[in-house]
Amino acid sequence: MKSKRSLILKGLSSLWVMTVLFVLGGKVWADATPMVTPTETATSVKPDPFSFADFTWMNGNARVKTNPLDSKYFTPEIIVDAHYIYDFANPIDHTLVGTTEGSRTQELEVQEIGVGGDLHVDNVIGRIFTQFGTNATQTVRNDASPGRGTTDLADAYRYLSEAWGGYHLDVNYGLNIEAGIFMSYIGLFSYYSPENWTYQPSYVSSNTPWFFNGVRVQWFPEQNLKIEPWIINGWQSYGMFNSQPGLGYQVKWAPTGDISTVFNGYYGTDNLAAPGLYRMHTDNSLLVKYLDDPKAPIDKVAFSLTVDYGQMWGSVPSSLGYVDNNGNPVTSINPSQENFFGSMLYNRFWFDHDHQALTLGGGFMVNTGRYLVLLPDLPNGSTGGANAANYASPYFTENPGDPFTGWDWTVTWSIMPSQFLMYQIEFNHRGSSVPYFAGPGGITSANGNNVGAAGSYVPDLRTSEDRINLACELEI
């Protein structure tokens, strides 16, 4: 059995080899691909990275082209996301399962109210952005790291989606050193719904990190290339799960204004009280705009493709209670027992001079061991159900080798009267290989109340979900 040191070195080596290959391959392609950039004089300042084209068409990017509130030292931003979700199963407790957009059905809900912006004073940079609404409870619920130690990290950070500061160095096209809470963009979709092509993201996006807490360095060697290493507390976590930080990277490269690629990688130990259990993940996206004709009835068409793979391996203490199919304790896990593979593909059509759009797409994930599946709020013996730190439910187990396959498809009609406002009407179908979604009986109790110990009520779990999402989203 390999030593802990060799396992760590193996994981780090794999990540950096992938990074070098992406950078070298991208550099060769970039050198062979002409790119039109603004004309510079001998005394002019280099243009900002990725400013050579309009990328507001991309999935996961802000649609706002100009900010009317911009100022010399601070660029403010406001986001409002409100919705009504109709679940055809009509669960008695109005609870949604395994979703990152919405937590309750048949009710008007405010998902996000965010206020903040970007600071830029000389070479000092920073960003702060709030999160109020259901994001303030949904996001922290899926982080197990506050279960370690005494400080209440969940309450300390729950109202902040981003909070970081840093310094900009005039190296190449920019070198930024930043520390705090920042967005990960693993899984392509933005954490902020107004920036996405659909309202409900597919599994790959919903089940991978939205944010990191740590340090990042953003290096722009070329105007169309970003290399960004991370040293972070862990996989979408406010704190550290054990005693080793997570390591990762993002490489973003856009050879033209019609093509963009994003590569992410991660390595860390992200299971509470299991420092010998290692995780790696790779996330890769391609976005292509293959039609752009302002005079045509369909004036723009683009697609996004994302492919992810991950795995866990190593030792686990018997105190965690993992068992195999025969009920025997598990103290060692191999990648065949804990792994992840998923993909999603979307195609978007713009018409009415970009004031309307139709998006078709979906995806799937296979997560053996269920270590990335968003856990349903099932009874586990505590009032209010389980969270990521105390989860132990007989109705949806997380033992090594437990199977889970999920798939979904979506049709989204977006109405955009301005660059700041978008309405979305969406039909979303999701399925799973095991009972997972809320049925008519709900998942909390027989009378719809979110109470009851394990055994007092058997949740009504189903293998499919059909719903309609109606959303109003504002971003300035």
Side-chain angles (χ1 to χ4, degrees), residues 179-234:
I181 301 174
F182 50 88
M183 297 288 98
S184 76
Y185 290 104
I186 289 182
L188 185 65
F189 275 68
S190 170
Y191 183 64
Y192 306 117
S193 296
E195 300 177 351
N196 297 326
W197 289 355
T198 72
Y199 192 70
Q200 172 59 44
S202 188
Y203 286 100
V204 167
S205 184
S206 290
N207 292 269
T208 52
W210 293 110
F211 72 89
F212 291 135
N213 192 355
V215 177
R216 68 178 176 185
V217 176
Q218 295 181 318
W219 175 38
F220 301 90
E222 304 288 347
Q223 193 189 3
N224 64 340
L225 175 65
K226 178 184 73 170
I227 300 173
E228 180 181 303
W230 314 317
I231 301 177
I232 53 183
N233 286 343

Side-chain angles (χ1 to χ4, degrees), residues 192-372:
Y192 306 117
S193 296
E195 300 177 351
N196 297 326
W197 289 355
T198 72
Y199 192 70
Q200 172 59 44
S202 188
Y203 286 100
V204 167
S205 184
S206 290
N207 292 269
T208 52
W210 293 110
F211 72 89
F212 291 135
N213 192 355
V215 177
R216 68 178 176 185
V217 176
Q218 295 181 318
W219 175 38
F220 301 90
E222 304 288 347
Q223 193 189 3
N224 64 340
L225 175 65
K226 178 184 73 170
I227 300 173
E228 180 181 303
W230 314 317
I231 301 177
I232 53 183
N233 286 343
W235 179 273
Q236 186 163 296
S237 65
Y238 295 121
M240 197 176 293
F241 292 97
N242 297 289
S243 298
Q244 177 182 314
L247 302 174
Y249 65 84
Q250 180 180 98
V251 177
K252 180 179 180 181
W253 174 62
T256 73
D258 298 331
I259 301 174
S260 181
T261 59
V262 183
F263 308 100
N264 297 285
Y266 177 82
Y267 174 82
T269 63
D270 297 279
N271 285 63
L272 279 177
L277 187 59
Y278 300 95
R279 176 184 302 178
M280 63 79 61
H281 197 93
T282 176
D283 167 84
N284 311 281
S285 293
L286 168 68
L287 299 99
V288 178
K289 181 177 61 173
Y290 57 96
L291 187 150
D292 193 345
D293 183 358
K295 297 180 180 180
I298 298 178
D299 54 77
K300 192 183 286 103
V301 186
F303 76 82
S304 69
L305 172 65
T306 300
V307 179
D308 279 38
Y309 176 74
Q311 62 184 36
M312 292 204 304
W313 69 94
S315 61
V316 293
S318 58
S319 59
L320 291 183
Y322 288 148
V323 297
D324 60 21
N325 293 333
N326 298 319
N328 300 315
V330 173
T331 58
S332 180
I333 293 175
N334 62 63
S336 67
Q337 297 170 301
E338 300 276 358
N339 56 70
F340 180 96
F341 176 65
S343 182
M344 56 185 182
L345 173 66
Y346 292 93
N347 200 91
R348 186 171 176 89
F349 306 85
W350 286 261
F351 53 98
D352 189 20
H353 305 288
D354 288 351
H355 289 300
Q356 299 187 64
L358 180 68
T359 304
L360 309 174
F364 73 92
M365 77 170 185
V366 180
N367 188 197
T368 304
R370 304 177 183 175
Y371 65 94
L372 290 186

Side-chain angles (χ1 to χ4, degrees), residues 31-54:
D31 289 343
T33 305
M35 181 183 68
V36 178
T37 58
T39 302
E40 301 178 49
T41 65
T43 59
S44 67
V45 177
K46 286 186 177 180
D48 291 335
F50 299 100
S51 63
F52 62 89
D54 181 1

Side-chain angles (χ1 to χ4, degrees), residues 369-370 375 378 391 393-399 402-403:
R370 304 177 183 175
L375 301 175
L378 299 173
Y391 190 85
S393 176
Y395 307 113
F396 192 82
T397 58
E398 287 187 293
N399 291 311
D402 280 353

Side-chain angles (χ1 to χ4, degrees), residues 83-86 93-95 104-110:
H83 65 241
Y84 177 88
I85 296 176
Y86 180 81
D93 57 359
H94 288 195
T95 297
R104 300 174 68 86
T105 70
Q106 278 81 330
E107 298 177 9
L108 289 170
E109 185 176 30
V110 177

Side-chain angles (χ1 to χ4, degrees), residues 115-189:
V115 179
D118 297 291
L119 177 73
H120 35 81
V121 180
D122 297 328
N123 285 44
V124 176
I125 54 177
R127 179 172 173 82
I128 184 169
F129 207 71
T130 67
Q131 60 176 13
F132 296 97
T134 56
N135 272 349
T137 56
Q138 281 183 277
T139 303
V140 301
R141 175 199 169 275
N142 294 316
D143 176 14
S145 69
R148 179 179 186 235
T150 58
T151 303
D152 190 351
L153 296 180
D155 283 342
Y157 292 127
R158 71 169 62 245
Y159 300 113
L160 292 172
S161 62
E162 296 178 81
W164 56 263
Y167 196 79
H168 170 81
L169 298 171
D170 295 323
V171 176
N172 301 129
Y173 281 82
L175 180 68
N176 303 328
I177 303 173
E178 303 164 354
I181 301 174
F182 50 88
M183 297 288 98
S184 76
Y185 290 104
I186 289 182
L188 185 65
F189 275 68

